Amino acid sequence: MSTKITNKEQVEAFLESYDTFLFDCDGVLWSGTHLLPHVVETIELLRSRGKRLIFVTNNSTKSRKAYTGKFAKFGITVSENEIFGSAYSSAVYLSKVLNFPKDKKVLVVGEKGIEEELESVGINYIGGTDPAYNVEATDASLASLARDESIGAVLCGLDLHLNYYKISKALLQIQDPNCHFLATNIDSTFPSAGRLLPGAGTIVGTLITSSGRTPVALGKPSDEMMNCVKEAYHLDPSKTCMVGDRLNTDMKFGEKGGLGTFMVLTGVDKEETILGTNPLVTPKFYADRLGLLYELLQNN
Amino acid sequence: MSTKITNKEQVEAFLESYDTFLFDCDGVLWSGTHLLPHVVETIELLRSRGKRLIFVTNNSTKSRKAYTGKFAKFGITVSENEIFGSAYSSAVYLSKVLNFPKDKKVLVVGEKGIEEELESVGINYIGGTDPAYNVEATDASLASLARDESIGAVLCGLDLHLNYYKISKALLQIQDPNCHFLATNIDSTFPSAGRLLPGAGTIVGTLITSSGRTPVALGKPSDEMMNCVKEAYHLDPSKTCMVGDRLNTDMKFGEKGGLGTFMVLTGVDKEETILGTNPLVTPKFYADRLGLLYELLQNN
């Protein structure tokens, strides 16, 4: 049974329960290019109470550093180490879990965010935004493709510069079972200006379909991402709450990780979904919007 | 139990049983750019016995007309109406089964073969090889995307010029349940120069993943393609044999359609697959290669 937060006492009790808050961003803090009401004030409130904040995003197109710029545009001040993106989580996984060899390279199907995070942990890569991979698929260019033994992993995320040549190259690599196959995340869509556009899962799906392999996914709601977050911040799950707008990613991610869960209704899922029969996950708390935490405390 | 054809008497009995032969092409007649032995002689043999020949291909990148050129390069003479490709099958389905309205357009994600076959049945289309759709996905180009109510169907096949913009456009259209969603075929890979490259199913898969919808597939082994072939040639299934190299497409296609089945071992599947426990389909006949029909009849 979820508790809907509608009064000041409930806010106080909720804030008492946790010392760390993990935030999903889009649909919670902002919706597309539009800041949601009283988000800045709520973040300040949490900071003033000494809470630790971590912003978790499946968006792999931006590095943590670049993502601070996005927060700044909305008037929210965050530091790079308060951000945990799926590109960074992938870099951490390669570096810490796989001990990815220094003499091997990662073939990137994705954007600059992935490249920058691989650089931040000292992992070699090819592909990505390199113009040499943004070529037309012709009989000649496809004929020239050959498996490169120096590639030890394919890492795939959202790639707005997707092309057939790049996918073919990545497929040839992962046809070798010794080549790791990783996905920053597998969201099928993402919201953009009120529409749903193809997400990273769509791009990763091309490689799943053609190879028959399943990648290790490093975004929400994967256990691997949760392990990376816990490791990086030494979290106490019982004192940590996941805040998000989607049952099947954010809330599932929090629940599987043993965290508290708080869902806001400003994004994908609606109240009916929580209250319906057999919801995928039952969030511990929910509210109409994040800003309500601030608003309710203003009332006397 | 499959009959392996290894002698002259078996060839005669096999030829007696059927008056029409449906052929898969790659792996049966040729392998990539390499003509298989005694294929030309076997085709001549069948013609001299008055057999009707139909060449069925899931390759949607070429129209029937363009495909005759491919046969000619191998020294095989076929007429356009002996070829039945998945692009044509899709055009027939739109025209005959859906009675696709004259005032609506099909959005094509695919190559010239699809465009030419739609033209051949008088169906309007946009997308495809039009340079206006081969644009970079940028914030501006994606923001300009809007659902076009004049598009009544999305038809997706192998597209070597796949890009994120085109996929986003197609996704916005099929998010409307009233828009038909068709695939020329859903092969996950296709053989090219000894390697497996991403097939039409990989491209179609981007739309399946992002939309959650399942397309009507018009290639082998779909019932829709079989119905189109039967309709177009007025086939008597009991006197027709499907010849192919794959259990999961060709042989399944023939069996489901109530046709005889003949598998050759010059392509994807091997003898072990037929003889193994629980094969997907048991072909009625099989042989090491198609040319053996001719070769065995030369022996006295």
Side-chain angles (χ1 to χ4, degrees):
Chain A
M1 183 64 189
S2 283
T3 300
K4 184 170 187 176
I5 296 180
T6 56
N7 65 47
K8 191 172 176 171
E9 291 66 36
Q10 286 171 316
V11 175
E12 289 292 359
F14 171 68
L15 295 181
E16 267 303 297
S17 308
Y18 305 105
D19 58 25
T20 301
F21 293 85
L22 256 57
F23 285 94
D24 174 46
C25 304
D26 201 9
V28 176
L29 309 178
W30 55 73
S31 177
T33 56
H34 168 70
L35 180 69
L36 291 165
H38 295 130
V39 160
V40 173
E41 293 83 351
T42 303
I43 302 247
E44 277 167 16
L45 163 72
L46 293 167
R47 289 202 194 281
S48 74
R49 300 274 181 113
K51 307 298 183 187
R52 184 163 57 161
L53 310 180
I54 303 165
F55 300 91
V56 181
T57 173
N58 274 3
N59 184 336
S60 68
T61 65
K62 288 189 172 66
S63 64
R64 289 163 301 155
K65 192 172 175 179
Y67 221 63
T68 60
K70 180 156 187 173
F71 280 80
K73 273 192 200 162
F74 286 114
I76 310 171
T77 308
V78 299
S79 65
E80 185 177 335
N81 60 25
E82 287 179 315
I83 296 174
F84 203 87
S86 66
Y88 182 57
S89 155
S90 303
V92 167
Y93 183 82
L94 279 158
S95 163
K96 304 280 185 192
V97 179
L98 298 183
N99 289 309
F100 194 74
K102 288 286 169 203
D103 61 340
K104 292 270 188 182
K105 289 173 292 195
V106 172
L107 174 62
V108 174
V109 179
E111 300 280 341
K112 201 159 186 55
I114 299 177
E115 296 177 328
E116 290 180 0
E117 295 298 8
L118 290 176
E119 283 163 24
S120 81
V121 299
I123 285 178
N124 299 314
Y125 64 87
I126 56 168
T129 60
D130 182 349
Y133 288 82
N134 289 304
V135 298
E136 202 184 344
T138 59
D139 285 351
S141 72
L142 294 174
S144 75
L145 285 175
R147 190 175 294 160
D148 176 348
E149 298 297 338
S150 75
I151 295 174
V154 167
L155 172 56
C156 181
L158 181 64
D159 187 358
L160 300 184
H161 300 89
L162 169 78
N163 64 51
Y164 188 84
Y165 174 84
K166 228 190 283 187
I167 293 180
S168 299
K169 170 84 180 159
L171 173 61
L172 289 184
Q173 294 303 138
I174 59 172
Q175 282 168 347
D176 173 2
N178 294 317
C179 180
H180 293 286
F181 177 25
L182 311 180
T184 57
N185 62 306
I186 51 169
D187 300 62
S188 56
T189 55
F190 72 94
S192 170
R195 302 156 316 167
L196 291 174
L197 293 181
T202 301
I203 318 295
V204 178
T206 63
L207 295 174
I208 295 175
T209 304
S210 54
S211 72
R213 288 182 63 178
T214 304
V216 174
L218 280 311
K220 292 173 289 178
S222 83
D223 295 340
E224 282 75 13
M225 192 194 217
M226 180 57 82
N227 292 338
C228 289
V229 176
K230 284 182 178 169
E231 172 72 22
Y233 299 94
H234 307 287
L235 295 186
D236 173 355
S238 71
K239 298 292 284 172
T240 305
C241 183
M242 177 71 209
V243 186
D245 69 314
R246 292 179 84 141
L247 285 176
N248 68 350
T249 53
D250 308 319
M251 296 297 102
K252 195 172 167 195
F253 179 66
E255 188 182 81
K256 280 200 302 175
L259 276 53
T261 45
F262 175 45
M263 186 159 131
V264 293
L265 302 176
T266 42
V268 172
D269 284 317
K270 301 300 163 200
E271 189 164 14
E272 304 87 81
T273 320
I274 304 175
L275 302 178
T277 47
N278 295 320
L280 192 64
V281 182
T282 302
K284 204 154 176 195
F285 299 94
Y286 75 103
D288 286 340
R289 56 185 177 280
L290 180 64
L292 211 59
L293 299 182
Y294 167 82
E295 294 164 27
L296 291 171
L297 289 186
Q298 305 311 303
N299 298 338
N300 288 306
Chain B
M1 183 66 187
S2 284
T3 301
K4 184 170 188 175
I5 296 179
T6 56
N7 65 48
K8 192 172 174 169
E9 290 67 34
Q10 287 171 314
V11 175
E12 290 291 1
F14 170 69
L15 295 181
E16 269 302 297
S17 310
Y18 305 105
D19 58 25
T20 301
F21 293 85
L22 256 57
F23 285 94
D24 174 48
C25 303
D26 201 9
V28 176
L29 309 178
W30 55 74
S31 177
T33 56
H34 168 70
L35 181 69
L36 291 165
H38 294 131
V39 160
V40 172
E41 293 83 350
T42 302
I43 301 243
E44 278 167 15
L45 162 72
L46 292 167
R47 289 201 193 280
S48 73
R49 299 274 182 114
K51 307 298 184 188
R52 183 163 56 162
L53 310 181
I54 303 164
F55 301 91
V56 180
T57 172
N58 275 2
N59 184 337
S60 68
T61 64
K62 288 189 172 66
S63 64
R64 290 162 302 156
K65 192 171 177 181
Y67 222 63
T68 61
K70 179 155 185 173
F71 280 81
K73 273 192 199 163
F74 287 115
I76 309 171
T77 307
V78 298
S79 66
E80 187 177 332
N81 60 24
E82 287 179 315
I83 296 174
F84 203 87
S86 65
Y88 182 57
S89 153
S90 303
V92 168
Y93 183 83
L94 279 159
S95 164
K96 304 280 185 191
V97 179
L98 298 184
N99 290 311
F100 193 74
K102 289 285 169 202
D103 62 340
K104 293 269 189 181
K105 289 172 291 193
V106 172
L107 174 63
V108 173
V109 179
E111 300 280 340
K112 201 160 185 55
I114 299 176
E115 297 177 327
E116 290 180 359
E117 295 298 8
L118 290 176
E119 284 164 23
S120 81
V121 299
I123 284 178
N124 299 315
Y125 64 87
I126 56 168
T129 60
D130 182 349
Y133 288 83
N134 288 304
V135 298
E136 202 183 344
T138 60
D139 285 350
S141 72
L142 294 175
S144 75
L145 284 174
R147 190 175 295 160
D148 176 349
E149 298 298 339
S150 75
I151 295 174
V154 168
L155 171 57
C156 181
L158 181 64
D159 186 359
L160 300 183
H161 299 89
L162 169 78
N163 65 51
Y164 186 85
Y165 174 83
K166 227 189 286 187
I167 293 180
S168 299
K169 170 84 180 158
L171 172 62
L172 289 184
Q173 294 302 140
I174 58 172
Q175 281 168 348
D176 173 3
N178 295 317
C179 180
H180 293 286
F181 177 26
L182 311 178
T184 57
N185 63 305
I186 50 170
D187 301 62
S188 56
T189 55
F190 71 94
S192 171
R195 302 156 315 167
L196 290 175
L197 293 181
T202 301
I203 318 294
V204 179
T206 62
L207 295 175
I208 295 175
T209 303
S210 54
S211 72
R213 288 182 63 178
T214 304
V216 174
L218 280 311
K220 291 174 290 178
S222 83
D223 294 341
E224 282 76 13
M225 192 193 218
M226 180 57 82
N227 292 339
C228 289
V229 175
K230 283 180 178 170
E231 172 71 23
Y233 298 94
H234 306 287
L235 295 186
D236 173 356
S238 71
K239 297 294 285 174
T240 305
C241 182
M242 177 70 210
V243 186
D245 69 313
R246 292 179 85 141
L247 285 177
N248 69 349
T249 53
D250 309 319
M251 296 299 102
K252 195 172 166 195
F253 179 66
E255 189 183 79
K256 279 200 302 173
L259 277 52
T261 45
F262 174 46
M263 185 159 130
V264 294
L265 302 177
T266 42
V268 172
D269 283 316
K270 300 301 164 201
E271 189 164 15
E272 303 87 80
T273 320
I274 304 175
L275 303 178
T277 46
N278 296 321
L280 192 64
V281 183
T282 302
K284 203 154 177 194
F285 300 94
Y286 75 102
D288 286 341
R289 57 186 176 279
L290 179 65
L292 211 60
L293 299 182
Y294 167 82
E295 292 164 28
L296 289 171
L297 290 186
Q298 305 311 300
N299 298 337
N300 288 306

